[in-house]
Amino acid sequence: MQLVDGMQIVSDIQSLRELRREWQTGKQAIAFVPTMGNLHNGHLKLVKEAKKHASKVVVSIFVNPLQFGPDEDLDAYPRTMEQDKASLAELGVDVLFMPKVEDIYSRGLEQQTFVEVPGLSYMICGASRPGHFRGVATIVCKLFNMVQPNMAFFGEKDFQQLQVIKAMVTDLSMNLTIHGVPTEREADGLAMSSRNNYLNEEQREIAPGLYQLISNMAVEIKSGRRDFSIMIQEYRLRLASIGFKPDYIDIRSASSLLQPSHEDKELVILGAGFLGKTRIIDNIQVEI
Ligand code: PAF
């Protein structure tokens, strides 16, 4: 660090951040939990984690049109505002931010500047949902700019989303920490998700099968199985045989989401499939 006529000159990001932090002395750490509402225990767990790390917690509820494809469920997406407000107030959230679409996208969706994380956004879920992660990165970046949190919390259930956001924060040198929080599950293992509300009784019975299958894969990998491409084909068929229309089953490096190399010790098994029109996703991390 250099001092020139009272002006501090720094050349590395870490020093800049340290200075910035000193200037903030006396201010409170702010944690942020962005959501699309219809809150379940998975969201509430994010809020509880946020409260452990910061003195002020901001939660947003915004059903983001930019991350839904033309044939997806934007209009049908469950909205339970009153219930959500009550749950958040009970947890002691400091601010609930509920912006309007026209305020967020004031120049219209067509004109909107966007943030795109290349590579990571096009694979796995991104291959099935073109433009989805561009919509997620754009809204999360905008919300970060609005809330200016010191840290933000996301569920590991949306594992790829978490990696996209971490990459965006790194690539754009954003000054906050991203925390991933383990998936909250129903008693039968089904990952909690707002979209579970769409399932009928029969589909709800089938739904935990995805988690059971990827858990089996994890056990096999832990026991030494390494023929990943055969495994993927096999488990895709098994997903179909229990009643899903498979989207994908995949095994990736947990850090890069690329095909695992022999050196990769931390893997993630990801799966997605349809029950009727409802898309269920899940993942499990495996250390080998
Ligand atoms: O995970 C979600 O609910 C959304 O993708 C998010 C991160 C709130 C962005 O709209």
Side-chain angles (χ1 to χ4, degrees), residues 34-36 64 67 136 139-140 154 161:
T35 80
M36 298 207 298
N64 173 35
Q67 69 189 75
V136 170
I139 188 61
V140 171
F154 295 86
Q161 168 172 285

Side-chain angles (χ1 to χ4, degrees), residues 146-286:
M146 291 174 214
V147 177
Q148 301 199 5
N150 304 99
M151 63 195 89
F153 291 75
F154 295 86
E156 286 178 355
K157 192 210 136 222
D158 297 302
F159 192 82
Q160 188 174 0
Q161 168 172 285
L162 178 61
Q163 305 313 313
V164 166
I165 289 162
K166 283 182 175 168
M168 172 185 78
V169 165
T170 303
D171 289 355
L172 300 183
S173 310
M174 291 176 165
N175 188 12
L176 81 164
T177 318
I178 301 300
H179 295 255
V181 178
T183 304
E184 192 72 356
R185 297 185 178 281
E186 304 288 354
D188 58 10
L190 177 65
M192 288 191 185
S193 162
S194 301
R195 291 195 166 98
N196 294 348
N197 291 326
Y198 299 146
L199 299 173
N200 65 28
E201 216 173 297
E202 190 194 344
Q203 292 165 339
R204 177 62 189 80
E205 267 184 37
I206 298 171
L210 172 60
Y211 180 58
Q212 284 155 18
L213 288 178
I214 61 173
S215 301
N216 281 356
M217 291 176 79
V219 171
E220 290 192 39
I221 292 173
K222 278 233 168 248
S223 318
R225 191 166 174 190
R226 293 293 181 269
D227 56 344
F228 292 163
S229 47
I230 293 172
M231 250 180 122
I232 288 167
Q233 297 309 320
E234 186 185 313
Y235 274 89
R236 202 186 150 90
L237 290 175
R238 287 174 72 172
L239 189 61
S241 76
I242 62 169
F244 275 87
K245 182 170 164 254
D247 183 352
Y248 63 76
I249 292 282
D250 220 328
I251 304 168
R252 298 285 175 124
S253 150
S255 55
S256 63
L257 285 187
L258 296 174
Q259 303 292 345
S261 70
H262 292 298
E263 285 80 55
D264 277 311
K265 297 288 167 242
E266 286 174 18
L267 305 180
V268 57
I269 305 166
L270 305 115
F274 288 91
L275 288 170
K277 284 187 165 170
T278 308
R279 193 164 175 277
I280 304 284
I281 64 169
D282 208 338
N283 69 82
I284 187 165
Q285 292 176 65
V286 201

